[in-house]
Structure formats: C-alpha cells, structure tokens
C-alpha cells in the first residue's frame, strides 16, 4: 500500500515541467508605475473569508482557476510583485461574516484567488504570508485547486485533507519544520528535514469543514453534466471520491485540495474544470459558508438555493443544527477511503482527517511524541477538532453580528465538546490486537468508535434525534 501511494505521488511530480504551458487565456495586469514607486501593489479591500490557490506548475489547477474566474463577479488577475504570482477577487460577498480582526472596511468576508509560481505542496505558511503581505488577518479557509495523479490513470474528481500523519523515519522530532534554512549549505541535512512531498513531519493542518459538502456537490454536478461514472450513466468517465490525508503544504488555516485526475489527458479538460467551478461558486456565493454542509430543502425536495437564489436569514437555526452533525474520521483502509465515501454521500456527516493503512506501523513506539502510529492518530484527531472549533468561532461571529454584537455564551472551544466525533476503524485493515490498541487510544482521546458503517450511521441517527 505504501508503495502504491508513493508511486502515485512520484508519478504526479514527474509531470511538473509540462504543466506550465496552461493558463494561456488568463491575462494578468502588471503593476502600475505608482505601485513600483511605492514598492507594493494595491491590496484587497477586505480580507478574511476563503482563499483559493492554484499554481502555474499545475495544469489542472490552472484549468480550474480559468473556469472559476469565468464565473460572475471576479476581477482580472493582477500581479503580486512582493508575494509572487497573481491574485483576483470576487466582488460577490460570501454569506459568512469574517471573524473578529479579519474584516475589512465592508465588514464582509470575501473570496480571493492566488495563482502561485511555486509548487502547491511546497507552499508552507502561505496563509500567513498572504496575511502578512496585506497587513490583515489570515483567511478563514484555503482551498487548493490541483491535479490528481495516479498510476491507475482513472479519471476522477477528488477532495482530500492534507498533512503528513507519520513522523520523520530518520528520527527527527515530529512537527519539526521542514525546509528550514541550514547554515553552510548542507543540502543533505535540508533534504532530511523536508518531507518528500512537502509540509511538516507528523503534522496535519486543520481539514476544511466543507469537504463532505464539496464531495456530495461534485458527485451531483458530475452526474448532471453526464460525467459521473455509474449504472445511471454508462457513458460517464469520472469517479468522485475522497482521498486519505497526504502531502503538504503546512498551514494553520483549515484547508483542503480539490482535484482533477488522473493523467494529463484529464488535467486540461474544461468539462471537468466546469464541475468544480460550478460547485465552488454555488458553495461560496449561493449556499453560504458558516454552515459548511447546509442545503435547505423546499417542499419539492430541491435546494432552496438553486438557480442563484441567496439562502434567507431564516435558515440560521438550520445552520446551527448542521454544525452539530457528527464529524467522521477515517482510520485504516485504502487511499480512496470507499467506506468513508459511502457515509459522506449519505449527507449525515461532516468529514475530518483520513489516515490510510500505509501510515500505521505497529512496530513503532506508541508513546506521545515518538512519531509512531499513535501520534498519527493523535494528530488526526487534534487537527480535526481544531477545524470544528474554527467553524464554531465563525458561527458565533455571525450570531454576534445578528444580535448587535451581544456576547454569545456556550460557543467556542467549550462548545466543541458538544460536537460528536466518530472514527470509522476499518475492521479488515487491522489485526485484532492492533484494532484493540487503536480503539483504546480513540477512547482516551474522546472519540467514539465505529467498526462498521452501520455503527457510524447509528451515531448520526442519534444526533438527528437530538440524542447525546
């Protein structure tokens, strides 16, 4: 299993030099003379909200960026002489209010697209770099637009959280910063400090709370566009699936990758890019952000937000109920997490990190800080909980704004304890003794254990009934 994922990532890396030829239709405005004199270009009017990120080294990501910018409300790309790359802003406001300290003069969160000149997986701390450049707070969420590559070559649309669940096998401390400058130009030592595909050893950024919704929406949109592979559409070519947590970069902001795969033939396909552009536009500007998975239904069963309609304020109570849905963590099984996908497609869960079987080495030290399998589980759980807290913080800000700034009690880190976290432990992935160790650790971490999909669904039913 480990060989297969390593091979897939190596396969992806091999295409980097050929990806630069894309984005011919995206024009970038150069900085003005006044900008050069001042040493900076005009910045966004307001920050906070969502940052979409693509790279000029990634053909599929550029195709996605082109499709996104073709949607209503987007400005032209402008160069970023200091940050590097280019950026654009969508004039349509997000329904989410920016958390305190992130809002600009408009008081509304906004959405920006940043096209990097560097590899996405190596773009550590880009959320902090973006915030430092414009002198404002970090974005509340980052969504990377990227290609997916695999040796199988199957066409697919994927979503996944990022991170390196396992520690450095060379013995460095888990969480040690990869790529740190080393005096004397010791390139061998630098290579030892840097995970092969970016990020930090033993660390996983908080996963985007909207991953489950993106998967469900991509599946539906691909079906509508005749691209989804399945019995209902024999001519369809694309699978829609999650991927287990893997690769960099390192961020402190909740984030995820949305991808088109799996070969160069699919990376430039405009029909696949249009699926993600449709999904992101509707998710960000027509449905709302703070609820993440909300899709209010009318009497006819169709989404009230369909056709460009804004979701009314009356859905606030439904949004808060949505935030209470159980958060699913996947442990064990294959890279494409088919059992997790089945549960996510039911619409009953939000989605956190997924740690595939190739990350579990039960001969490693299980003590905290040792960088073994147990630390992989601890990091996946802790990072998923951090993401749940970020959603509650944004939702609390929305409520404060709606109540004239009144204090909101019971929301924040403490309220995260009310959210139920359930880990689906793949029965077939572990021996009985290994499974017992994993389940024991989860109980210590305050995570409910489901060893079958039926057990996980029962947790969702209890939550829906208002149970504990």
């Amino acid at each position: 299993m480990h060989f297969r994922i390593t091979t897939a990532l190596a396969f992806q890396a091999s295409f980097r030099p050929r990806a630069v030829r894309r984005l011919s239709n995206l024009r970038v405005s150069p900085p003005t003379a006044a900008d050069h004199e001042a040493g900076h270009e005009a910045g966004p009017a307001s920050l906070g909200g969502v940052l979409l990120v693509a790279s000029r080294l990634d053909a599929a990501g550029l195709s996605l960026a082109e499709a996104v910018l073709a949607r209503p409300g987007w400005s032209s790309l402008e160069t970023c002489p200091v940050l590097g790359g280019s950026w654009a802003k969508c004039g349509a406001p997000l329904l989410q209010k920016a958390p305190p300290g992130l809002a600009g003069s408009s008081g509304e969160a906004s959405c920006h697209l940043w096209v990097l000149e560097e590899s996405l997986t190596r773009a550590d701390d880009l959320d902090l770099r973006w915030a430092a450049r414009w002198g404002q707070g970090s974005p509340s969420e980052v969504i990377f637009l990227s290609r997916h590559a695999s040796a199988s070559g199957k066409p697919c649309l994927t979503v996944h959280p990022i991170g390196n669940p396992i520690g450095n096998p060379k013995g460095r401390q888990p969480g040690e910063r990869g790529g740190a400058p080393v005096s004397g130009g010791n390139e061998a030592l630098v290579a030892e400090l840097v995970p092969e595909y970016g990020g930090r050893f033993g660390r996983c950024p908080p996963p985007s709370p909207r991953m489950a919704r993106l998967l469900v929406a991509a599946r539906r949109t691909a079906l509508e566009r005749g691209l989804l592979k399945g019995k209902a559409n024999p001519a369809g070519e694309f699978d829609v699936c999650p991927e287990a947590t893997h690769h960099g970069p390192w961020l402190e902001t909740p984030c995820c990758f949305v991808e088109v795969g799996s070969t160069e033939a699919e990376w430039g396909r405009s029909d696949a890019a249009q699926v993600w552009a449709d999904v992101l536009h509707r998710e960000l500007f027509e449905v709302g952000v703070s609820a993440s998975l909300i899709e209010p239904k009318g009497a006819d069963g169709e989404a009230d937000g369909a056709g460009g309609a804004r979701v009314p304020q009356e859905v606030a109570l439904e949004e808060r109920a949505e935030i209470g849905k159980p958060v699913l963590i996947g442990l064990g099984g294959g890279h494409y997490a088919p059992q997790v996908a089945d549960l996510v497609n039911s619409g009953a869960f939000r989605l956190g990190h997924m740690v595939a079987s190739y990350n579990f080495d039960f001969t490693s030290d299980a003590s905290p800080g040792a960088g073994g399998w147990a630390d992989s589980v601890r990091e996946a759980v802790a990072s998923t909980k951090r993401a749940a807290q970020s959603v509650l913080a944004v939702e609390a800000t929305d409520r404060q704004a709606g109540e004239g700034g009144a204090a909101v009690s019971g929301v924040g880190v403490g309220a995260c304890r009310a959210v139920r976290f359930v880990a689906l432990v793949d029965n077939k992935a572990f021996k009985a003794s290994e499974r017992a160790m994993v389940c024991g650790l989860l109980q210590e971490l305050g995570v409910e254990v489901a060893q079958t999909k039926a057990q996980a669904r029962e947790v969702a039913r209890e939550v829906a009934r208002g149970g504990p």
Side-chain angles (χ1 to χ4, degrees), residues 87-105:
W87 69 275
K89 175 184 176 181
C90 189
L94 301 171
L95 294 185
Q96 169 196 355
K97 297 293 183 182
L102 298 191
S105 58

Side-chain angles (χ1 to χ4, degrees), residues 224-273:
E224 292 170 353
R225 287 181 169 270
L227 294 179
L228 183 66
K229 181 180 179 181
K231 294 180 180 178
N233 185 30
E237 303 172 66
F238 284 79
D239 289 324
V240 177
C241 57
E243 290 183 84
T245 300
H246 65 298
H247 71 59
W250 167 255
L251 279 73
E252 297 178 3
T253 301
C255 54
C256 69
F257 270 59
V258 299
E259 302 179 338
V260 173
S262 293
T263 69
E264 193 172 15
E266 288 80 40
W267 296 339
R269 284 183 56 165
S270 61
D271 53 356

Side-chain angles (χ1 to χ4, degrees), residues 364-379:
S364 60
D365 188 346
S367 58
W373 70 267
D375 273 350
S376 298
V377 174
R378 293 185 186 102
E379 176 66 7

Side-chain angles (χ1 to χ4, degrees), residues 146-148 156-158 160 243 247 257-261 276:
S146 180
R147 66 172 174 260
H148 170 69
C156 60
L157 306 175
T158 69
H160 71 85
E243 290 183 84
H247 71 59
F257 270 59
V258 299
E259 302 179 338
V260 173
W276 279 127

